[in-house]
Structure formats: C-alpha cells, structure tokens
Amino acid sequence: MTRIIKKISEWRKVRNETENKSIGFVPTMGALHRGHESLIEKSVSDNEITVVSIFVNPTQFNDPDDLQNYPRAFEKDYEILNSHNVDYLFFPDYGEIYNDNYRYKLSESEFSKILCGKFRPGHFDGVLTVVMKLFNIIKPHKAYFGEKDYQQLKLIEGMCKAFFMDIEIIQCPIVRDVDGLALSSRNKLLSEEERKFALNFPRLLKSDKSKEEIFRELENLGFKVDYIEEMDGRRLGAVYVGNVRLIDNVKI
Ligand code: PAF
C-alpha cells in the first residue's frame, strides 16, 4: 500500500531511513492520467523508492476560476498510485508548503516570460518556487517531467543547473489518446463536443503548414489562440477550447 505522508517532519524521518536507496520523484497536481502513469512507471523501474506528490499549487494559477475548477480526484488517484506500487504519496496542505505565505519566490527572467509565461503572468514563478520547495523536502535523486509541459521542463532543468542542484531531470515523451489529443488533467473539463473539436489542435500542430497558417486556421475554426511558436525543433502552442486552456507540442 502506498503510504500517505502529509507532514514534512514525517517525510524527513522516512527520508533519513532511506539514506542509501535511490529515490525517484514525480510531482503532480493530481487528477492523474496515463501521462502521469508513464512517469510513475519509469520512476518505479529506475529507482528503489518512488515518491509521488499531489499538491494543487495555488501560486501557479494566475486565474482564481482556473484554480477553483482544476479537477480533483483523490480517491481514484490513490488507487492508481497503489496499482503502480508507488511507495509514498506526499500530500501536503497549503500551510505545510507555504510557511512563508509566498513571501519568498523563485523567478527566471527570460525564458519564463515568453510562450505560456507571456499569457500567464507569475505562472512560472509559482511553478519554480513549488518545485524548488518539493525538491528540498523530498531530496530525490531523479525527478520525472513530461514533454507536454515543455517550457516547464526546460525551466526546471535550468533551475537545477543555476542552483547546482544534484537532481537528475528525466524528460518523458508526451502520451496521447488514440485520436491524437495529448493527455492532460484539463481534458476532464471538456464536454464530449469540445473534446472532438479540440482534436483540430494536434492535427494542425503536426501539419506541414507554417505557424502563421496554423494560428489563422485555428482562429477561423473558433479557437482562442494564445500562441503557435517554433523552437528547439518543436512547434508549440496554447489554445482555449471554451474556458479550458490546452497546450501541446510536436517535433518538426
Ligand atoms: O506539471 C504540473 O503538474 C505542475 O506544474 C507541477 C510540476 C506539479 C508543479 O506544481
């Protein structure tokens, strides 16, 4: 059974006892799907101990409604963790993580300001701050992140390098549904019709059209488009289907 740990003090005792074991860490905000499961499977196969955290981090939500509506599914999540033989679930509350009430924060001044950062002010400050806190608490050897959140992944790699952190970041491929939609906890918020409509997004992203053409075509179809950009041999985008913001990227 996956042991649930809510307090940092309790985890520290466990961590002292696991001194010589390799620890893999998968930070999440819950509402787990097969994308998370692929990170968990990799951690379980690479390490002696796997820790998953579930913490819906308020500081990375720039929109209070988005935080309020973010899907939460603790019981199902816990079943998933058990089925993968995850050793520990770290499940802290706000006060445990933000003992400073977010007076201290970590920010990056360039790459975090473009792509999603341009449209979600403060988002990456929240992400980097909570990931730094979680890394300092869990003290993993390896941590697993999905390529769907490509900008997040690169910023976390950069943070580890900038702060000389001895944690290996393992980059894991995007997991898609059979029809091509990248898995995301936010997909749970789409109606059946919206989900069907959303399929245009990965379809156009991987087409051989230019980024400008893709942007225009998505807008003409009725998406609100934040950006379509190309970098690092990838085409990345963020769009809204109704109120639900989806991001995705493909290799080009
Ligand atoms: O990718 C996520 O689920 C979150 O941004 C993370 C890394 C768990 C930080 O809250």
Side-chain angles (χ1 to χ4, degrees):
M1 289 286 271
T2 303
R3 177 166 156 192
I4 303 175
I5 297 197
K6 294 188 173 180
K7 296 284 170 203
I8 296 170
S9 55
E10 191 187 347
W11 170 251
R12 289 215 162 121
K13 280 190 202 132
V14 175
R15 185 66 181 85
N16 285 338
E17 288 155 16
T18 57
E19 199 56 37
N20 299 318
K21 298 206 166 141
S22 58
I23 298 188
F25 179 42
V26 184
T28 82
M29 298 205 295
L32 304 179
H33 49 67
R34 280 187 295 109
H36 294 114
E37 287 183 76
S38 74
L39 309 181
I40 291 170
E41 276 163 12
K42 178 115 183 72
S43 175
V44 169
S45 88
D46 287 355
N47 302 282
E48 289 165 286
I49 288 180
T50 288
V51 184
V52 174
S53 64
I54 297 182
F55 179 66
V56 182
N57 174 35
T59 65
Q60 71 187 74
F61 286 83
N62 50 309
D63 170 1
D65 287 343
D66 190 25
L67 172 60
Q68 170 107 28
N69 297 331
Y70 196 81
R72 289 156 172 91
F74 182 80
E75 258 134 57
K76 185 150 179 282
D77 288 350
Y78 187 62
E79 266 173 38
I80 291 174
L81 299 181
N82 264 315
S83 73
H84 287 283
N85 298 318
V86 167
D87 301 281
Y88 298 98
L89 164 62
F90 183 56
F91 186 54
D93 65 16
Y94 177 85
E96 199 68 7
I97 295 292
Y98 288 103
N99 59 356
D100 61 335
N101 218 0
Y102 202 38
R103 282 193 302 122
Y104 289 87
K105 65 181 76 163
L106 187 67
S107 65
E108 191 277 348
S109 58
E110 288 176 19
F111 188 49
S112 68
K113 305 297 177 198
I114 61 169
L115 305 174
C116 285
K118 188 167 161 199
F119 297 90
R120 302 187 70 191
H123 168 66
F124 286 116
D125 293 358
V127 170
L128 292 176
T129 304
V130 82
V131 171
M132 174 67 99
K133 284 173 184 262
L134 290 168
F135 281 180
N136 283 339
I137 296 164
I138 305 296
K139 296 192 171 55
H141 299 100
K142 294 184 177 165
Y144 297 78
F145 292 89
E147 286 177 357
K148 188 175 79 68
D149 295 281
Y150 185 76
Q151 192 177 10
Q152 164 175 286
L153 167 75
K154 292 296 142 191
L155 283 165
I156 290 167
E157 276 178 0
M159 173 186 86
C160 288
K161 196 163 172 232
F163 291 94
F164 310 104
M165 297 168 78
D166 209 3
I167 297 173
E168 193 183 340
I169 302 300
I170 311 290
Q171 171 167 341
C172 301
I174 297 180
V175 179
R176 295 180 184 279
D177 262 331
V178 276
D179 54 15
L181 193 66
L183 295 188
S184 160
S185 303
R186 290 176 196 274
N187 294 355
K188 295 184 167 78
L189 302 172
L190 297 171
S191 68
E192 214 175 299
E193 210 174 303
E194 285 174 328
R195 199 188 168 291
K196 244 189 229 160
F197 175 70
L199 293 177
N200 289 299
F201 180 36
R203 178 180 66 76
L204 283 164
L205 263 191
K206 61 174 190 264
S207 71
D208 53 14
K209 296 174 198 265
S210 70
K211 60 183 181 148
E212 293 79 10
E213 285 170 320
I214 296 172
F215 192 107
R216 266 198 309 275
E217 205 162 314
L218 285 165
E219 274 199 334
N220 289 341
L221 284 167
F223 286 86
K224 178 177 171 295
V225 186
D226 274 356
Y227 65 85
I228 303 292
E229 289 295 347
E230 289 170 357
M231 64 173 58
D232 299 348
R234 280 170 197 268
R235 184 179 291 138
L236 308 101
V239 297
Y240 279 87
V241 177
N243 290 327
V244 183
R245 190 173 191 273
L246 300 178
I247 59 171
D248 197 354
N249 67 84
V250 297
K251 284 200 181 129
I252 47 172

